[in-house]
Amino acid sequence: MDHEADAYRTDLMTITRFVLNEQSKYPESRGDFSILLSHIVLGCKFVCTAVNKAGLAKLIGLAGETNVQGEEQKKLDVLSNEVFVKALVSSGRTCILVSEEDEEANFVEHSKRGRYCVVFDPLDGSSNIDCGVSIGTIFGIYMVKDDHDPTLDDVLQPGKHMLAAGYCMYGSSCTLVLSTGEGVNGFTLDPSLGEFILTHPDIKIPKKGKIYSVNEGNAKNWDAPTAKYVEKCKFPKDGSSPKSLRYIGSMVADVHRTLLYGGIFLYPADKKSPNGKLRVLYEVFPMSFLMEQAGGQAFTGKQRALELIPEKIHDRSPIFLGSYDDVEEIKALYAAEVKGE
Ligand code: FDP
C-alpha cells in the first residue's frame, strides 16, 4: 500500500487551510485577507453552480441590457456580478470595487469598509455561455493607501502593486488559480465536499511552449511584429517544428491552458483597436501577475505589462503573455521594429 499517497488523499489541503497556513507566516496579520478570499471563493462556488445549471434553469439568454462596453449582457453576467458585489461588500474588508459590468467604481459604504480594493470580471468569456465553453471569473486585489479616504487612484495603480490575483475557471471541472505573490497554486472544486482542494501546487509554466493562441481572424489588421511572430510560429526558419494553434476565445480557458502546457497567448493591438481588446485592470493585470509568478512573462508590445499605469478603470491594452522564451521572441521583434530593422 502506498501510505504516502493514501495520506495525501485523506489529508486534504483546502483553499481555506492553505490561506490560513500562509497567514500564519505573518504573525501580525489580522486575518482580513483570509476573510476577503473566503468571500471570493463563495462567489466562485455560486457562479460555478449557476453556470452548471444554466442550460437546465433557462438562465442563459439575453437579459435585455447592454453593459458599459456596449456588449450584450447575459443573465449570467448580471447574476454573477450581483453575487460578487454582495459577497465582497459583506466581507467588510473592501473599500473600492471595480467590475467589468459596472461603469463606475463602487465605493463601499463607510460602515462596511475595509482595506482592500478588488478589480474583477465576474464572468469573462461570456460570448461562450450559450455553447457551454469554459468561462471564468478573474480578480485582482490591491491595498488601499488611506482607508479613511479611498480614491480612484487606489485602483489606478500598476499591476505590480497587486497583492494577489487569480481566476476561477468554470469548465469540465471548476478550478481556482491563485497567487498571493509567492508562486501560483491551483485548487479544484470537489463538488461532493463543496471545497476547493489543492491539486496544482506551485505551478511553473514551461520555459518554452509549442502552442500559440490568438484570434487569427484579426490578422489583416495586425502590426508588423505580431504578423512576423505568428508567421514564425507557423513557418519557423530555424528547423524547429511549427507551433500548434489553440484558440478558445475565452481568456480564462486560453490562459489556463497556456499556464499548464506553456506557449503564448496574444491579444495584440490592430488597426481597428489600437489598444487591443482586453481590459487592463481585471484581465491583463491579474493574468500577467499569475504568469510572472509562474516564471513566465507578460508584455504589452511596449513594456512589461505589470508596469502599465491605467488612466481609467476600463482601459484596454494589447497583451502577449506566456512562456518566458516565447514572450522574449515577441519582445525582440518589437525592439527591432523600434530600431527600424
Ligand atoms: P468575450 O468577448 O466572450 O467576453 O474580453 C472578453 C473576451 O471574451 C475574452 O475572454 C476573450 O479572450 C476575448 O474576449 C475574445 O475576443 P475575440 O472574440 O475578439 O477573439
Side-chain angles (χ1 to χ4, degrees):
M1 187 175 174
D2 183 346
H3 289 286
E4 205 176 325
D6 198 47
Y8 186 71
R9 274 197 296 274
T10 52
D11 187 18
L12 302 173
M13 179 60 81
T14 64
I15 194 164
T16 314
R17 181 175 160 195
F18 181 88
V19 171
L20 288 173
N21 281 355
E22 293 293 300
Q23 184 191 311
S24 66
K25 293 181 194 158
Y26 305 94
E28 71 287 359
S29 158
R30 304 197 309 226
D32 286 347
F33 183 78
S34 307
I35 292 170
L36 170 64
L37 202 72
S38 70
H39 282 72
I40 292 178
V41 165
L42 175 69
C44 294
K45 285 183 195 170
F46 183 96
V47 175
C48 177
T49 309
V51 168
N52 288 340
K53 283 195 299 210
L56 291 169
K58 298 214 184 307
L59 278 166
I60 55 174
L62 304 181
E65 290 176 43
T66 304
N67 71 9
V68 278
Q69 327 293 345
E71 298 161 339
E72 289 170 334
Q73 213 170 15
K74 312 272 178 174
K75 277 186 181 165
L76 271 179
D77 301 37
V78 180
L79 187 68
S80 307
N81 192 40
E82 272 180 35
V83 165
F84 273 101
V85 169
K86 286 181 181 156
L88 290 167
V89 171
S90 67
S91 74
R93 301 300 185 275
T94 57
C95 57
I96 308 177
L97 307 178
V98 171
S99 165
E100 200 249 1
E101 297 293 337
D102 296 322
E103 190 167 358
E104 305 289 341
N106 177 349
F107 286 76
V108 176
E109 68 176 84
H110 225 276
S111 63
K112 295 186 178 145
R113 217 170 250 182
R115 295 180 295 161
Y116 295 103
C117 310
V118 183
V119 293
F120 61 104
D121 186 344
L123 203 55
D124 189 77
S126 46
S127 64
N128 291 294
I129 295 173
D130 290 357
C131 59
V133 166
S134 298
I135 45 183
T137 298
I138 311 174
F139 59 90
I141 301 173
Y142 290 104
M143 174 81 83
V144 70
K145 287 174 197 148
D146 173 0
D147 44 352
H148 296 295
D149 186 23
T151 70
L152 219 43
D153 285 344
D154 288 306
V155 282
L156 296 175
Q157 298 192 53
K160 64 182 179 186
H161 291 171
M162 278 184 171
L163 300 179
Y167 61 79
C168 186
M169 185 177 70
Y170 313 110
S172 54
S173 57
C174 178
T175 309
L176 199 154
V177 174
L178 173 72
S179 175
T180 53
E182 290 181 20
V184 180
N185 290 282
F187 303 82
T188 304
L189 183 65
D190 180 333
S192 58
L193 296 174
E195 292 275 10
F196 280 98
I197 309 293
L198 180 65
T199 47
H200 298 73
D202 196 19
I203 298 173
K204 294 281 174 241
I205 183 168
K207 191 149 181 289
K208 191 169 174 60
K210 296 181 181 145
I211 298 173
Y212 73 104
S213 185
V214 65
N215 183 344
E216 287 223 51
N218 297 330
K220 90 173 164 78
N221 290 318
W222 285 343
D223 62 16
T226 301
K228 275 188 204 162
Y229 180 76
V230 172
E231 187 73 2
K232 264 179 91 180
C233 290
K234 296 198 249 192
F235 304 102
K237 295 209 172 86
D238 58 3
S240 60
S241 302
K243 288 191 193 301
S244 292
L245 168 64
R246 298 280 184 273
Y247 189 68
I248 299 166
S250 174
M251 190 189 196
V252 175
D254 281 315
V255 169
H256 188 62
R257 183 201 53 249
T258 306
L259 197 60
L260 296 187
Y261 297 172
I264 186 163
F265 169 84
L266 308 74
Y267 210 111
D270 64 42
K271 283 179 207 133
K272 283 202 304 200
S273 319
N275 293 322
K277 177 182 183 188
L278 301 179
R279 261 65 76 156
V280 173
L281 274 182
Y282 39 80
E283 292 183 310
V284 169
F285 278 172
M287 295 311 201
S288 300
F289 188 90
L290 291 165
M291 279 297 159
E292 286 199 2
Q293 286 292 322
Q297 298 197 69
F299 176 64
T300 65
K302 290 194 177 127
Q303 63 184 136
R304 177 184 170 213
L306 291 180
E307 275 174 7
L308 255 183
I309 303 175
E311 286 173 10
K312 300 205 184 84
I313 59 172
H314 296 295
D315 274 1
R316 302 170 195 257
S317 167
I319 187 69
F320 304 85
L321 53 77
S323 292
Y324 193 95
D325 287 356
D326 294 321
V327 178
E328 231 15 54
E329 273 184 40
I330 189 98
K331 282 165 79 177
L333 289 168
Y334 273 98
E337 167 100 342
V338 172
K339 282 193 212 144
E341 288 167 8

